[in-house]
Amino acid sequence: MQGFANVMWLLSLALIVFSGFALVDAAIRREDAYRAADKKTKPFWLVVLGIAFVVNLLFPILSFLPIIGLIATIVYMVDVRPAVRQITGGGGRKGRGSSSDGPYGPYNGGR
């Protein structure tokens, strides 16, 4: 039984870190990027992700409230964050092109 409790504790900790990362990420993005990406407003996502973070802190992982918070966090990370990053240019490669680009443009393998 102790092993199960340890696994649940690790899952709970992972949920807290995941929702905390999403909350911080939503806080550092520009407010106008949310509107430009045609997503809800920045305050909306800060409230939703803040509630998800607090719920993950207070409730055990086997109740339904952390699952709802996890769903909200996943929606932000999969749908909203990439759209806002595309608007703000927050991608990892920042205008350097594809990894297959050569010095004179894209390499197409001799085709």
Side-chain angles (χ1 to χ4, degrees):
M1 199 64 166
Q2 183 64 29
F4 180 73
N6 289 340
V7 169
M8 289 290 111
W9 183 81
L10 286 174
L11 280 174
S12 179
L13 183 63
L15 256 143
I16 291 167
V17 169
F18 185 54
S19 61
F21 173 78
L23 179 62
V24 169
D25 185 75
I28 64 172
R29 302 290 173 193
R30 291 190 346 230
E31 201 276 325
D32 60 335
Y34 288 89
R35 286 180 278 131
D38 200 25
K39 304 297 177 189
K40 297 282 187 186
T41 63
K42 181 177 181 174
F44 171 83
W45 283 108
L46 288 176
V47 167
V48 168
L49 294 172
I51 290 172
F53 181 73
V54 170
V55 163
N56 287 330
L57 281 174
L58 297 179
F59 291 97
I61 193 168
L62 292 178
S63 66
F64 71 95
L65 288 176
I67 302 302
I68 294 171
L70 175 64
I71 292 169
T73 305
I74 289 173
V75 167
Y76 174 80
M77 293 296 286
V78 172
D79 184 39
V80 178
R81 183 174 186 251
V84 171
R85 284 182 68 184
Q86 186 176 17
I87 297 294
T88 60
R93 297 190 54 88
K94 287 197 181 177
R96 289 187 279 168
S98 172
S99 63
S100 65
D101 283 358
Y104 304 110
Y107 176 73
N108 62 4
R111 290 177 254 171

